[in-house]
């Protein structure tokens, strides 16, 4: 070994050093002490200097592992070989970690991916943690990224390294909350649960067991990690672990171990020692994800191994403990029997059956206690099965109360104890049920009257049964009588009870009976402390005098102190679960230890108090009760006011939300109304354009363009023209008179030549005057024609005078032609007279034409007014239809939006409508 060490230290060739280290590795198993003492320093130096060669590093790590690990020693012990040195591994570990750089170097080597370096590095680090855990943990904790480097081992694709990495993390996380938190927040739960799933959950091998042990390390007594586990929804991933089939025979030992660890993991999350809030949230999560239901399925399944069944009962117990929702569900679970029975009844049948395993009976008792813990509803259901009004007279089904009574009066002392403790839990902190239980009557034998349950318990107690039975009955009586004056009165009403208790306390018995004496003293003390002095012979003062005479106060207090000094009392006070090494040690219940602790001091004080002090205390109690009643009343009032306030707040919030909704609706409706107004105006403009376009291509008259002012103006102009026509008629009458004069002068032409010449000259003068007057008339007619043409132009704009214009123009042209003929005939008098008569006729025709024109205009005006009214009515109907259509469209849009269908914008719809209207206009043009 010395030569090899020299070669390792002095050889320049890497091959020589590698061979030397390989030889040391071969010797290290047999000559562990020598190699460790001489070669450790050289091996550490190799790790520091030869990191480039993975082979020599691997040999060096294997050699150090053989020297430090105690696994080889265990093999030697099995072979009965002498042990060389005590605790060599621990000493060599201490030497190795003295220089913290060695551990840091080892962490760096573990990062190497090379299998020949990483695997021996993991094993060596695991061995160091086994030997000197806290010291190595501290070095890794202060090393930069130390824990994170080791977490990478779980992601290694090589199963050997991954599995050994799990073992390394097990050692690393033991009893170190800081490292546990770092590992948990490095996503350890996710990776470990993935490995468990890959390996087949409970059907997996040793790897699943190792992963479960690591998760247990991370969660146990670590509230932060438990909360992280719950918040990460990892509880839901535990449900598939407990999916067992109908065929439960032939479970492998590994499966039993895995399932046992899985159940323990559930219990870690809901342990009574955890903070109540954390436990409650985990219990609720287990119910909501179906984990509790799955556990109850295993509970009621057949063929499940006994130890798994026991652990499942304990797990269900802690999942339902103190959680009303889970307790209610458990009460509804039925066993798959014919007829179906409640799971509680089936479990109680196992508890009072002396042929069942002891641990199973303890588990059932714990389950029953957890079911009743802070569950007044469940307590009432259990007690109600004992009351006369609810007992099944047919006897077809067995109730929980009947099973408890059967256990209470069984010959098996363990069944007696379990039944009394279970019944005591049904009365825990429930004064109403304590009073109701006094009504329970039991039939002892045929022909004898029934006796009360309280009387039967005291009868069994006085018969001198086994210690375990008497301890159970005394615990039941103490729980029953505490804080219930009526029960104390019933107990004292039996004259045999007080002499029995004083006799038991006063006797000097052996150590076994001291526990019974202490409990008898406690029961007597409760009878004094909760005594309401309703019985004259057994009032508080009388009982105190009896203790003074028969027992002695000091002796009484000493016997009372036997309870809390007992070893079994101390064990029971540690945790709620009843765990006893043997049935003989089953004496105290956890909840009863709390009652003893509460009453021991007050009973001691009550014994030494005088009657005056008792009276004062009673007065103080009454005052306090009155004060409590007042406080309770005000609390009730405040509670009611708080409820009213909450209701008002809710109403305010609902009204506020309704107001906001209504305001939003109003705003929306205002915007919709504005949109509809805009659409209406747009449609109105489009409708006017379409009407104008339509009028230009049709022979019908439309009234859309005519205004009231224009109609009145036309009326005025027509009146003016009527007056003008009347003036012209007057002038025509004057001309007729002149023509008559000319005719009379023409008759006198043939008398004489002279007179004819003079008449010719006079006729010429008259013809000249007529010519002038005709010229004036012609100018007036032209003016009238111009005015008439102006009216025609205005009427053409309104498209009214299309048909009436032609005859007027014809008249004008005829008038012009007649005036030309008249000029030609002026040269001759006779022709001129004829022309004047024709002129008269033409003027008459013109007048008639003007009158007919006025009549036509009036008819057209009335028609236009009628069509205007009809158009307005049609427009109003159209607007009503448009409004209805908009409402239907908006309702359909809302429905489509609710259904998730995309809806076109209003701009697109309007543009589409305009396009449709344009198409309609084109069709009208074509028509």
């Amino acid at each position: 070994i010395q030569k090899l060490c020299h070669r390792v230290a002095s050889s320049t060739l890497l091959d020589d050093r590698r061979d030397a280290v390989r030889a040391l590795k071969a010797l290290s198993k047999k000559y562990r002490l020598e190699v460790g003492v001489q070669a450790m320093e050289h091996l550490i130096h190799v790790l520091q200097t030869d990191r480039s060669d993975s082979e020599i590093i691997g040999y060096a790590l294997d050699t150090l592992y053989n020297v430090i690990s105690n696994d080889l020693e265990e093999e030697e012990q099995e072979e009965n070989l002498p042990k060389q040195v005590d605790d060599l591994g621990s000493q060599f570990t201490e030497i190795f970690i003295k220089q913290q750089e060695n551990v840091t170097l080892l962490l760096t080597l573990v990062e190497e991916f090379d299998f020949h370096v990483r695997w021996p590095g993991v094993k060596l680090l695991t061995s160091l943690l086994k030997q000197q855990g806290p010291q190595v943990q501290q070095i890794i904790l202060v090393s930069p990224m130390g824990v994170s480097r080791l977490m990478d081992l779980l992601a290694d694709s090589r199963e050997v390294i991954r599995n050994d990495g799990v073992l390394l993390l097990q050692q690393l996380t033991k009893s170190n909350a800081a490292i546990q938190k770092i590992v948990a927040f490095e996503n350890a739960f996710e990776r470990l649960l993935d490995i468990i799933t890959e390996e087949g959950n409970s059907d997996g091998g040793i790897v699943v067991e190792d992963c479960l042990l690591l998760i247990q390390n991370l969660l146990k007594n670590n509230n932060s990690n438990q909360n992280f586990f719950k918040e990460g929804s990892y509880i839901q991933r535990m449900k598939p672990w407990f999916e067992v089939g109908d065929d439960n025979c032939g479970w492998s030992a590994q499966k039993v171990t895995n399932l046992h660890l899985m159940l323990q993991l559930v219990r870690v999350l809901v342990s009574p020692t955890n903070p109540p809030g954390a436990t409650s949230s985990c219990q609720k999560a287990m119910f909501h994800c179906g984990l509790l239901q799955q556990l109850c399925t295993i509970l009621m399944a057949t063929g499940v191994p006994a130890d798994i069944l026991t652990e499942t009962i304990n797990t269900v117990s802690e999942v339902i403990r103190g959680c009303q929702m889970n307790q209610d569900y458990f009460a509804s679970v039925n066993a798959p029997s014919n007829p179906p029975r409640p799971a509680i009844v089936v479990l109680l049948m196992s508890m009072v059956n002396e042929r069942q395993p002891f641990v199973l009976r303890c588990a059932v008792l714990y389950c029953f206690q957890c079911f009743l813990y802070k569950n007044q509803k469940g307590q009432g259901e259990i007690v109600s099965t004992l009351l006369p009004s609810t007992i099944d007279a047919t006897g077809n089904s067995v109730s929980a109360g009947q099973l408890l009574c059967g256990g209470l009066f069984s010959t098996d002392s363990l069944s007696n104890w379990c039944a009394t403790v279970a019944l005591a839990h049904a009365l825990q902190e429930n004064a109403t049920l304590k009073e109701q239980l006094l009504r329970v009557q039991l039939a002892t034998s045929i022909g004898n009257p029934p006796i009360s349950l309280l009387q039967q318990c005291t009868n069994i107690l006085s018969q001198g049964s086994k210690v375990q039975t008497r301890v159970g009955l005394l615990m039941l009586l103490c729980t029953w009588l505490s804080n219930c004056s009526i029960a104390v009165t019933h107990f004292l009403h039996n004259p045999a009870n007080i002499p029995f208790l004083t006799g038991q306390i006063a006797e000097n018995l052996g150590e076994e009976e001291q526990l019974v004496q202490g409990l008898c003293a406690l029961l007597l003390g409760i009878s004094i402390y909760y005594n309401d002095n309703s019985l004259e012979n057994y009032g508080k003062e009388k009982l105190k005098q009896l203790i003074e005479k028969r027992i002695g106060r000091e002796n009484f207090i000493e016997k009372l102190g036997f309870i809390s000094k007992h070893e079994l009392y101390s064990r029971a006070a540690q945790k709620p679960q009843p765990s006893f090494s043997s049935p003989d040690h089953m004496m105290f219940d956890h909840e009863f230890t709390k009652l003893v602790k509460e009453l021991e001091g007050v009973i001691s004080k009550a014994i030494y108090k005088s009657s005056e002090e008792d009276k004062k205390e009673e007065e103080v109690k009454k005052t306090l009760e009155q004060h409590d009643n007042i406080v309770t009343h005000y609390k009730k009032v405040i509670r009611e006011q708080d409820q009213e306030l909450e209701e008002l707040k809710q109403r305010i919030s609902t009204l506020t939300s309704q107001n906001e909704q209504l305001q939003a609706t109003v705003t929306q409706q205002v915007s919709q109304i504005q949109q509809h107004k805009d659409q209406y105006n747009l449609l109105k403009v489009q409708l006017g354009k379409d009407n104008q376009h339509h009028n230009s291509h049709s022979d019908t008259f439309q009234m859309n363009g005519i205004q009231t002012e224009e109609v009145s103006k036309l009326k005025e102009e027509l009146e003016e023209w009527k007056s003008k026509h009347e003036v012209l008629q007057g002038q025509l009458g004057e001309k007729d008179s002149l023509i008559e004069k000319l005719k009379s002068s023409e008759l006198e032409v043939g008398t004489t030549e002279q007179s004819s010449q003079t008449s010719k000259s006079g006729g010429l003068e008259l013809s000249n005057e007529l010519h002038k007057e005709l010229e004036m008339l012609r100018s007036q007619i032209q003016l009238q024609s111009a005015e008439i043409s102006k009216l025609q132009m205005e009427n053409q704009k309104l498209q009214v005078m299309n048909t009436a214009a032609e005859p007027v123009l014809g008249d004008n042209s005829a008038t012009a032609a007649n005036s030309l003929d008249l000029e030609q005939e002026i040269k001759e008098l006779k022709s001129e007279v004829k022309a004047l008569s024709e002129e008269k006729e033409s003027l008459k025709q013109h007048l008639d034409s003007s009158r007919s024109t006025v009549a036509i205009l009036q008819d057209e005006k009335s028609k236009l007014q009628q069509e205007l009214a009809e158009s307005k009515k049609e427009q109003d109907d159209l607007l009503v239809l448009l409004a209805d259509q908009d409402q239907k469209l908006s309702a359909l849009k809302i429905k489509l939006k609710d259904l998730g269908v995309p809806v076109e914008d209003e701009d697109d719809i309007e543009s589409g409508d305009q396009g449709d209207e344009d198409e309609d206009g084109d069709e009208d043009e074509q028509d």
Side-chain angles (χ1 to χ4, degrees), residues 249-366:
C249 57
W251 284 26
S252 65
Q254 187 61 55
K255 180 172 182 175
V256 172
T257 304
N258 290 346
L259 207 54
H260 202 273
L261 287 170
M262 289 169 176
L263 291 166
Q264 284 183 350
L265 207 54
V266 175
R267 292 185 67 185
V268 165
L269 293 169
V270 293
S271 172
T273 57
N274 293 344
T279 300
S280 176
S281 59
C282 287
Q283 287 172 332
K284 290 174 183 174
M286 288 174 185
F287 174 77
H288 289 305
C289 76
L291 181 58
L292 174 59
Q293 292 85 327
Q294 205 68 50
L295 292 172
C296 289
T297 305
I298 297 176
L299 202 66
M300 295 292 109
T302 54
V304 179
D307 52 347
I308 292 297
L309 183 61
T310 303
E311 190 63 23
T312 305
I313 294 170
N314 286 327
T315 307
V316 170
S317 306
E318 293 184 353
V319 173
I320 67 172
R321 186 176 190 269
C323 180
Q324 188 67 51
M325 179 172 59
N326 293 4
Q327 289 167 338
D328 290 344
Y329 170 76
F330 185 69
S332 68
V333 175
N334 286 324
S337 59
N338 192 15
R341 287 177 176 170
I344 297 171
V345 172
V346 175
L347 291 173
L348 287 176
M349 290 170 74
S350 301
M351 186 184 77
V352 297
N353 186 351
E354 55 187 300
R355 290 191 295 275
Q356 293 291 346
F358 172 64
V359 287
L360 179 64
R361 296 173 76 182
C362 289
V364 172
L365 176 61
Y366 183 45

Side-chain angles (χ1 to χ4, degrees), residues 704 708 867-878:
N704 290 335
T708 312
E867 287 177 359
L868 178 63
E870 289 176 357
S871 177
K872 282 183 178 178
K873 186 179 179 182
E874 287 176 358
Q875 195 170 4
D876 292 336
D877 294 340
L878 181 61

Side-chain angles (χ1 to χ4, degrees), residues 648-671:
L648 289 171
K649 284 179 181 177
Q650 289 177 359
R651 285 182 63 189
I652 288 168
S653 62
T654 51
L655 289 171
T656 306
S657 62
Q658 287 176 3
N659 185 25
E660 290 173 355
Q661 289 176 0
L662 290 171
Q663 284 180 350
T665 308
V666 168
T667 307
Q668 187 178 0
Q669 288 177 351
V670 167
S671 64

Side-chain angles (χ1 to χ4, degrees), residues 27-243:
L27 292 168
S28 61
K29 290 183 180 179
K30 192 172 183 179
Y31 301 102
R32 182 182 172 196
L33 177 62
E34 291 79 2
V35 172
V37 170
Q38 297 182 44
M40 182 174 284
E41 187 179 346
H42 300 298
L43 292 170
I44 292 170
H45 185 69
V46 167
L47 296 178
Q48 293 170 344
T49 55
D50 291 328
R51 288 184 58 184
S52 58
D53 184 64
S54 60
E55 197 173 351
I56 192 172
I57 295 292
Y59 292 147
L61 290 170
D62 282 333
T63 309
L64 287 170
Y65 173 73
N66 291 339
V67 169
I68 289 172
S69 176
N70 281 332
D71 296 342
L72 300 174
E73 281 187 9
E74 292 169 5
E75 291 175 8
E76 289 173 0
Q77 286 175 5
E78 288 173 5
E79 294 171 6
N80 295 322
L81 294 174
K83 191 175 180 180
Q84 293 180 353
V85 182
D86 292 336
D87 203 13
L88 274 178
S90 180
Q91 293 177 25
F92 284 131
T93 301
E94 199 170 340
I95 295 168
F96 184 85
I97 66 172
K98 191 174 288 183
Q99 299 294 327
Q100 292 189 8
E101 296 82 6
N102 295 339
V103 179
T104 309
L105 175 63
L106 191 53
L107 289 171
T108 309
L109 293 171
V110 167
E111 278 190 293
E112 295 287 338
F113 187 74
D114 193 310
F115 181 81
H116 298 290
V117 176
R118 197 171 207 182
W119 188 40
V122 169
K123 291 196 295 181
L124 176 57
L125 194 52
T126 306
S127 185
L128 292 173
L129 285 163
K130 281 182 181 177
Q131 304 297 337
Q132 297 285 344
Q135 292 89 328
V136 179
Q137 282 174 342
Q138 198 58 34
I139 295 169
I140 293 172
L141 194 58
V142 298
S143 175
M145 299 294 289
V147 178
S148 300
R149 294 182 203 176
L150 299 178
M151 284 300 299
D152 293 338
L153 297 171
L154 294 179
D156 201 303
S157 57
R158 296 159 294 194
E159 287 192 7
V160 178
I161 294 178
R162 184 199 69 186
N163 299 344
D164 280 350
V166 173
L167 295 173
L168 168 59
L169 290 170
Q170 273 184 33
Q171 298 298 326
L172 181 66
T173 54
K174 273 186 180 177
S175 306
N176 193 309
I179 293 177
Q180 287 167 2
K181 287 180 184 178
I182 295 170
V183 171
F185 282 95
E186 288 282 347
N187 210 21
F189 293 131
E190 184 77 33
R191 296 183 187 180
L192 292 169
L193 291 171
D194 287 342
I195 294 171
I196 291 170
T197 306
E198 288 169 14
E199 294 291 326
N201 293 328
S202 59
D203 294 320
I206 189 82
V207 180
V208 172
E209 181 184 346
D210 292 337
C211 289
L212 291 168
L213 287 169
L214 176 53
I215 296 174
Q216 199 174 95
N217 276 0
L218 295 173
L219 293 176
K220 201 166 188 178
N221 300 322
N222 193 318
N223 299 328
S224 172
N225 281 2
Q226 288 172 9
N227 188 54
F228 179 71
F229 190 84
K230 179 184 71 70
E231 295 295 333
S233 300
Y234 296 120
I235 289 176
Q236 286 82 331
R237 295 188 61 179
M238 297 169 77
K239 185 191 172 187
W241 296 354
F242 305 104
E243 291 175 356

Side-chain angles (χ1 to χ4, degrees), residues 440-561:
V440 176
Q441 300 289 319
L442 301 172
T444 52
S445 59
I446 299 171
N448 293 329
I451 61 172
S452 67
L453 177 62
L454 184 67
Q455 183 63 47
Q456 183 66 15
C457 289
T458 54
N459 290 346
I460 298 170
L461 191 62
S462 61
Q463 288 170 5
S465 52
K466 291 182 180 179
V467 173
Q468 193 174 38
T469 302
R470 283 183 287 158
V471 168
L473 287 167
L474 285 165
M475 285 196 298
L476 172 61
L477 290 170
C478 289
T479 306
W480 195 347
L481 269 58
S482 64
N483 205 21
C484 184
S485 301
I486 299 172
V488 171
T489 305
H490 276 257
F491 178 75
L492 296 175
H493 201 271
N494 186 352
N497 288 339
I498 295 300
F500 168 75
L501 291 177
T502 53
Q504 287 285 317
I505 298 165
E507 289 183 14
N508 291 319
L509 303 171
E511 290 184 4
E512 289 184 359
E513 294 293 330
Q514 283 183 349
L515 193 54
V516 176
Q517 286 184 313
L519 290 169
C520 287
L522 180 66
L523 184 58
L524 185 55
I526 289 170
S527 300
I528 295 170
Y529 186 71
Y530 292 106
N531 196 326
D532 59 358
N533 294 319
S534 57
L535 295 174
E536 292 184 7
N537 296 331
Y538 295 107
K540 282 187 179 181
E541 201 58 37
K542 293 280 182 71
L543 290 174
K544 286 181 188 177
Q545 292 172 4
L546 188 66
I547 289 172
E548 182 68 32
K549 291 177 182 177
R550 299 274 182 91
I551 306 167
R553 291 180 181 177
E554 289 77 11
N555 191 23
F556 178 85
I557 299 300
E558 184 184 354
K559 297 289 175 73
L560 184 63

